[in-house]
Amino acid sequence: MEPVHGSSLKRLNSASEDRISRMPDDVLTDIMDHLPIEDAVRTSILSRNWRYKWHSLTQLRLNLGKHSCCIERNISTILLSLNGPVTNFDLCVKHYYVSDVVDISSWVLFLSRKGIKKLTIFNFYQTLELPNHLFSCSELKHMSLYKCCFHLPTNFRGFPNLLTLDLSHVVFKSGTYGKFISQCPLLKSLTIFVSFRTIGETIKLMEIANVERLNVLSLPFYMLENITTTACVFHLLGYFPQLQELHLDFRTCKFLADGDKDKLFFSPSLKVVSLSVVDFSNTIMLSFIVELICCSPNLKTLRITEGIKELYFIVLIYL
């Protein structure tokens, strides 16, 4: 192999740089959208042509930890420099002092004006209070919140385009889970996780019954108000004819005998069932599991756990 001399190497590097720079703007934007925001902004030093290319970013990923003070202080300036819509905003807060630096309110206000469609906030320190600007993000289709809280406005009209909702350790300082969910008519996937009872976490069955397009439902069963028998599970499923996945946490549930049951329930769409914290010494609970299997002819996967230890993993092909 012939050695590459200095002039040849320079031409080779120049040609490679030209090929990248000549890519269509939408391709370059897609590449930078997959970079951490600090790396995307740093592309401005590559050349004069690259100086403002990051201004077309549509997806922002912020990972705020112990060593990210500089980027935190410049986020608002960066956001105001963006030209077009911002469809995806992913924020991860990992360190305690971040709340002293971050202006979450102004960020969410900015996003509400930029057509945000996917919002993810993972907060691993003290509960992060979100501003009411969040409820102006009417174009949202996917929202995932971890360890956040907010006041639900009295004039809340919902998220008319929301398809997936994941709420983990979310606290309502005003309003309730039920009111929030009932205002999301197109919802297809709903996941709720709380490890202990808090004010405002109870859900009335009729509040989520309006969200009849659900394909995936995951929640602690005790959050449903006035639910004391296993027959109530079948009442719940009856509201969601398109439901394909059901994940229920039976922690703290003490079921009573059902007494007179309704007619046999039938759920042809249900394919995946996951039941956690099941009391295997409770004959009522065991009877419920058998009945649920028998009433779900297309069930493919059943997972049952007792506490944190998984006891069974069953793949059902024919029943």
Side-chain angles (χ1 to χ4, degrees), residues 100-264:
D100 297 329
V101 181
V102 172
D103 186 2
I104 292 290
S105 181
S106 64
W107 295 3
V108 176
L109 176 60
F110 170 85
L111 295 171
S112 69
R113 298 171 176 173
K114 285 288 189 175
I116 183 71
K117 290 181 170 57
K118 183 178 180 181
L119 175 66
T120 303
I121 299 178
F122 283 96
N123 170 44
F124 292 95
Y125 185 59
Q126 60 189 11
T127 301
L128 183 65
E129 184 165 353
L130 301 180
N132 282 350
H133 300 312
L134 173 67
F135 305 104
S136 300
C137 302
S138 59
E139 296 183 44
L140 268 177
K141 291 188 176 181
H142 310 279
M143 181 161 59
S144 181
L145 304 177
Y146 182 88
K147 209 171 183 183
C148 299
C149 67
F150 46 73
H151 291 271
L152 197 63
T154 55
N155 61 345
F156 176 57
R157 294 295 178 266
F159 293 103
N161 299 300
L162 198 64
L163 300 176
T164 66
L165 177 62
D166 188 341
L167 303 177
S168 296
H169 300 292
V170 169
V171 177
F172 287 80
K173 290 192 171 181
S174 64
T176 63
Y177 274 92
K179 182 180 179 181
F180 185 86
I181 296 167
S182 65
Q183 298 295 322
C184 306
L186 299 184
L187 206 59
K188 291 188 175 181
S189 176
L190 172 62
T191 299
I192 299 176
F193 177 79
V194 289
S195 57
F196 52 86
R197 293 178 179 271
T198 59
I199 297 174
E201 73 175 14
T202 303
I203 301 174
K204 295 179 181 178
L205 188 55
M206 292 305 298
E207 289 177 320
I208 62 173
N210 296 326
V211 193
E212 58 185 20
R213 300 188 183 188
L214 274 183
N215 296 137
V216 179
L217 175 62
S218 176
L219 78 165
F221 195 66
Y222 69 74
M223 291 183 67
L224 295 174
E225 191 175 80
N226 298 325
I227 302 298
T228 57
T229 68
T230 56
C232 296
V233 179
F234 299 112
H235 287 302
L236 171 67
L237 294 177
Y239 289 116
F240 309 119
Q242 301 179 37
L243 195 68
Q244 297 182 17
E245 292 188 28
L246 175 66
H247 308 271
L248 293 178
D249 181 345
F250 289 107
R251 188 177 318 169
T252 75
C253 290
K254 300 296 181 182
F255 287 112
L256 305 176
D258 288 332
D260 295 331
K261 294 184 179 181
D262 294 336
K263 294 181 180 179
L264 186 64

Side-chain angles (χ1 to χ4, degrees), residues 5-25:
H5 299 289
S7 59
S8 299
L9 181 60
K10 184 176 181 180
R11 287 196 300 272
L12 180 61
N13 289 339
S14 177
S16 299
E17 180 181 356
D18 287 342
R19 282 197 294 268
I20 296 175
S21 299
R22 291 172 183 172
M23 287 182 178
D25 287 342

